[in-house]
Amino acid sequence: MYIEQGYKGEIGLWKYFVIPLAFIGFMIINYIATVNSPISVEDTMQQLIEQMGSNVVLIFLLLPLSAGLLVVLGWTYLVHRQSITSLTTSRKKVDWKRIFFSFGLWTILTILLTGIDIYASPDKYVLNFDWAKFIPLAIIGVVLIPMQTSFEEYLFRGHMMQGLGILAKNRWVPLVVTSTLFGLMHIANPEVEKLGHGILVYYIGTGFFLGILTLMDEGLELALGFHAANNLITALLVTADWTAFQTNSIYKDISEPALGWDVLIPVFVIFPLLLWFFSRKYGWKNWKQRLFGKVMTKEEFVALTHGESDMA
């Protein structure tokens, strides 16, 4: 009953549109500016890094989204009058074990898969490690990247998922809409400019994976852990001149970027395997209902939760 947790606030459907519309508007303006700019995103990034250094540029990239987390949580608490717990999960309290397990699992798998690729294709990588530059990067990353990824989770899989679910009275509409918008949010990234719009398959596919995690597990915990690990470990482990996060990481990818099967493997192989693994670990059942079923009305939800309270 994760989507129905939205009923615990002071429902006013207009409240669910203010932040998403403002964010989407900002993304559209950013995309138009990027497309019409005479300088490529890659060249712009290189100029900024030469002027300020990669760590300072990373801070400027992360700060607006990190501040966005405070906006979403503040809006939920002050305007919706909804607890942060009910925005996060359908459980009585946030399950931090789920967050750390998901984070740890994807950290290990990311390091393992990257290590295999470096071993198999050593010509693609150069060692980029420098303690003096890496330690500030690690501090910045540990502090700001989880805030950045949590903002995206609370906005798309939390705020928008609950709002659209309550509006549409089903689960598949919020899953499709939030996953698609999450992918399109990355359309101004330098990776898209370099590889073409086909890379959006990966971003939208990742959105569906995180959305399915949230609906099947009835909470954001697994998605929060996965997303934080994905961005943080990648920023610390490998960089390239054509990625959104150009960092003082351990390795640098110097290969000529090309859109290939490696974009599809995570979406159609790794993510389904992870869903299967999580389903076995947490005993997920009734996939059809959780992903495509109806969302209760407020009256049904109140009657059910009052009944559970009476039984307790």
Side-chain angles (χ1 to χ4, degrees):
M1 297 188 295
Y2 173 67
I3 289 178
E4 287 87 346
Q5 297 300 307
Y7 289 129
K8 292 184 176 180
E10 293 181 0
I11 292 298
L13 289 177
W14 67 270
K15 299 176 184 178
Y16 282 107
F17 290 98
V18 175
I19 295 178
L21 288 177
F23 183 74
I24 292 169
F26 173 78
M27 290 294 100
I28 292 173
I29 293 171
N30 183 49
Y31 176 69
I32 293 173
T34 300
V35 170
N36 294 326
S37 174
I39 305 174
S40 69
V41 178
E42 182 180 349
D43 290 340
T44 301
M45 290 286 291
Q46 288 300 319
Q47 291 176 11
L48 291 173
I49 290 172
E50 289 174 5
Q51 293 172 6
M52 299 184 290
S54 62
N55 284 338
V56 175
V57 172
L58 182 63
I59 291 173
F60 277 112
L61 289 174
L62 293 174
L63 270 180
L65 299 179
S66 299
L69 173 64
L70 303 179
V71 172
V72 173
L73 297 184
W75 182 271
T76 298
Y77 187 75
L78 298 174
V79 178
H80 277 276
R81 301 293 182 180
Q82 180 184 352
S83 70
I84 304 304
T85 299
S86 63
L87 181 65
T88 307
T89 185
S90 60
R91 287 167 272 276
K92 292 183 179 180
K93 59 182 181 180
V94 176
D95 189 343
W96 287 93
K97 289 183 179 179
R98 271 174 156 83
I99 295 175
F100 288 121
F101 178 80
S102 182
F103 180 93
L105 176 65
W106 191 236
T107 294
I108 293 170
L109 289 175
T110 300
I111 294 173
L112 178 62
L113 293 171
T114 303
I116 292 173
D117 195 45
I118 293 172
Y119 179 80
S121 308
D123 294 340
K124 290 172 52 179
Y125 300 91
V126 294
L127 189 63
N128 191 52
F129 186 69
D130 183 334
W131 272 114
K133 296 178 179 179
F134 182 79
I135 291 176
L137 165 65
I139 294 172
I140 294 166
V142 168
V143 173
L144 292 181
I145 288 179
M147 293 183 68
Q148 171 247 323
T149 56
S150 294
F151 162 67
E152 294 176 10
E153 290 310 308
Y154 276 107
L155 175 63
F156 288 97
R157 258 70 62 180
H159 186 72
M160 292 179 66
M161 185 78 79
Q162 289 185 352
L164 286 171
I166 289 172
L167 178 64
K169 291 294 185 291
N170 63 51
R171 289 167 167 252
W172 69 267
V173 167
L175 174 61
V176 171
V177 172
T178 60
S179 301
T180 304
L181 288 177
F182 175 79
L184 293 177
M185 175 188 71
H186 298 84
I187 198 169
N189 280 20
E191 295 95 330
V192 177
E193 181 182 66
K194 197 72 174 180
L195 298 174
H197 289 89
I199 189 66
L200 291 175
V201 171
Y202 169 75
Y203 291 122
I204 294 174
T206 302
F208 271 98
F209 167 68
L210 294 168
I212 293 169
L213 269 186
T214 300
L215 291 178
M216 290 304 303
D217 201 49
E218 299 289 4
L220 285 177
E221 291 99 333
L222 295 178
L224 286 168
F226 175 92
H227 201 163
N230 186 70
N231 287 28
L232 176 60
I233 303 307
T234 301
L236 297 179
L237 203 55
V238 180
T239 190
D241 290 336
W242 45 272
T243 57
F245 286 174
Q246 297 181 33
T247 64
N248 298 303
S249 58
I250 298 174
Y251 285 94
K252 184 173 182 177
D253 184 343
I254 58 172
S255 64
E256 184 61 29
L259 191 66
W261 289 103
D262 53 334
V263 172
L264 302 179
I265 290 173
V267 175
F268 296 106
V269 178
I270 296 176
F271 291 167
L273 287 174
L274 283 173
L275 289 172
W276 173 82
F277 175 78
F278 283 127
S279 72
R280 296 298 297 266
K281 178 174 175 58
Y282 295 111
W284 295 345
K285 297 178 181 179
N286 202 358
W287 288 68
K288 183 177 179 180
Q289 167 58 31
R290 293 194 184 194
L291 297 181
F292 303 102
K294 293 182 179 180
V295 170
M296 285 186 252
T297 65
K298 184 174 184 178
E299 292 73 22
E300 290 171 337
F301 177 70
V302 169
L304 179 63
T305 52
H306 280 187
E308 290 176 349
S309 299
D310 293 340
M311 290 174 65

